[in-house]
Amino acid sequence: MSTSRWLVTFLSFALMIGASAWVVVPHWPDGGMPWLSWPVHAVALATVTAEILTRAFKIQASARACGIPLRFGTALRVCLAGDFAAAITPARAGAEPSRFLVLAESGTSAAGRVLVLFLELFLEMWSLLLVCAVLAVAFHGRGASVSGLLALVGGYRPVVRGAGAVGWGLSRRTGDGPAPAWVGRLGVSEARWQAVGRGLQSLQGAVQSLRTANPVLMLLAFVGSVLHVLFKVATLPMLVLLADPSFPLTMNTLAPLVLWPLALFYGGVVVPAPGGGGFIEGAFAATLSSAIPEGIFVASLLWWRFYTFYLYILVGGLAAGDAALRALRPAPATLSPSAPS
């Protein structure tokens, strides 16, 4: 994280605040924004806690399924460090280095680190596919939100599989030799390429170890992954239903509250600006302003964004912010053999 990248992060967060104000002002209710009661916040906090814990359980269970003795506390820090770094870096680029560093500092081997992060992404892809398939069937014919969800799954899965295929291909070709010319044109240093090469070579052994993974633990990890997605989906419907008990609960009214936030959460990953740069707030207004009662729309947007983004920054910063920031520091320059001491 250079000075220029911190500036980009600052500007992106300023855009997010500006976009929130742009959305909030025309929707501000005449009687003022209603304050949600403490039971609503208690349920929201419980939902966030359950989402984080099930995600950490997924990481621990999948690691132990492959013989990696990962503690639950370490898995929890892996999650939180990734959340914090992802929020403050362009295109969420800091998430994996931060998770990698937490695993390294816990004593996990290089091959184990690659395997844990690979499994996390692999299970996320398949659990998202299952949840989206069930939701698409349950809400079939309920408007554009279903189409948006299907487009999300159709785009997310090939990207993940494509990234895995590229990594596997590079792992079979990458050795200890000098970096190819095309790598230098991308601005990747020789030292960084050697580190990438070692990680990619570890990927081969990691993938091979999946063949002997404990199926019961892998199934439990997959269940944890599905639950974490469901808890993420439940946040907005829970806020709306508890804030307005008179809200008409039907499949037609529930569909946009469930499907659009899921599409925004995973689709927003492709936005290069840290935190979305206001894209999430604008898309929320465009897709959900007619689905949420006017009196609670502002409260729903602000608290949904708090419980799905800002709270993760606070918790992640407190629990693992030090590790995330260490992972984002530039590597110190090393002296060449001919350089004077």
Side-chain angles (χ1 to χ4, degrees):
M1 287 290 288
S2 61
T3 302
S4 60
R5 289 185 177 179
W6 278 117
L7 179 61
V8 169
T9 299
F10 175 80
L11 293 176
S12 180
F13 274 66
L15 285 174
M16 290 164 54
I17 296 173
S20 297
W22 176 76
V23 171
V24 163
V25 169
H27 292 91
W28 192 265
D30 295 334
M33 188 181 77
W35 293 100
L36 303 183
S37 62
W38 70 263
V40 179
H41 290 292
V43 173
L45 285 172
T47 303
V48 171
T49 302
E51 189 277 327
I52 295 173
L53 293 178
T54 51
R55 188 152 42 103
F57 173 77
K58 169 186 71 172
I59 291 176
Q60 183 193 33
S62 61
R64 292 196 171 184
C66 296
I68 302 172
L70 190 67
R71 294 180 299 176
F72 185 79
T74 301
L76 192 59
R77 279 178 53 84
V78 168
C79 292
L80 296 175
D83 292 341
F84 178 77
I88 65 173
T89 52
R92 301 172 59 90
E96 301 313 318
S98 299
R99 293 168 180 166
F100 196 86
L101 177 63
V102 172
L103 289 170
E105 292 180 342
S106 72
T108 305
S109 66
R113 286 171 248 159
V114 173
L115 179 57
V116 168
L117 297 181
F118 170 78
L119 287 175
E120 199 274 338
L121 188 61
F122 179 80
L123 291 171
E124 184 82 1
M125 179 186 73
W126 285 105
S127 58
L128 180 63
L129 176 65
L130 175 61
V131 171
C132 289
V134 172
L135 293 177
V137 172
F139 294 112
H140 178 69
R142 261 73 185 187
S145 54
V146 176
S147 301
L149 181 72
L150 294 176
L152 165 70
V153 177
Y156 185 82
R157 189 180 177 193
V159 168
V160 173
R161 294 183 66 179
V166 170
W168 176 252
L170 286 174
S171 72
R172 298 176 65 86
R173 296 173 179 269
T174 301
D176 297 325
W182 62 269
V183 171
R185 289 194 291 269
L186 294 177
V188 179
S189 66
E190 184 71 30
R192 181 62 59 86
W193 172 251
Q194 294 298 332
V196 170
R198 289 191 295 270
L200 289 172
Q201 289 173 348
S202 298
L203 179 61
Q204 294 189 53
V207 173
Q208 294 295 330
S209 66
L210 287 177
R211 297 179 179 178
T212 58
N214 185 308
V216 175
L217 287 176
M218 284 300 296
L219 178 60
L220 289 175
F222 179 70
V223 171
S225 186
V226 171
L227 289 175
H228 119 75
V229 175
L230 291 177
F231 283 123
K232 186 72 72 175
V233 169
T235 305
L236 182 63
M238 177 271 303
L239 286 173
V240 172
L241 294 175
L242 294 180
D244 183 7
S246 64
F247 182 82
L249 183 58
T250 66
M251 294 297 284
N252 287 330
T253 59
L254 190 60
L257 301 181
V258 172
L259 301 180
W260 276 123
L262 184 63
L264 292 177
F265 179 75
Y266 285 98
V269 173
V270 302
V271 180
F279 168 81
I280 302 297
E281 289 79 3
F284 187 99
T287 56
L288 290 165
S289 59
S290 60
I292 300 174
E294 187 70 17
I296 62 169
F297 176 79
V298 171
S300 299
L301 166 61
L302 296 180
W303 286 114
W304 174 76
R305 196 69 169 122
F306 173 78
Y307 282 115
T308 59
F309 180 72
Y310 292 107
L311 183 58
Y312 285 82
I313 297 178
L314 296 175
V315 176
L318 291 173
D322 57 337
L325 292 177
R326 287 199 304 275
L328 298 178
R329 288 180 189 148
T334 56
L335 295 175
S336 63
S338 60
S341 58

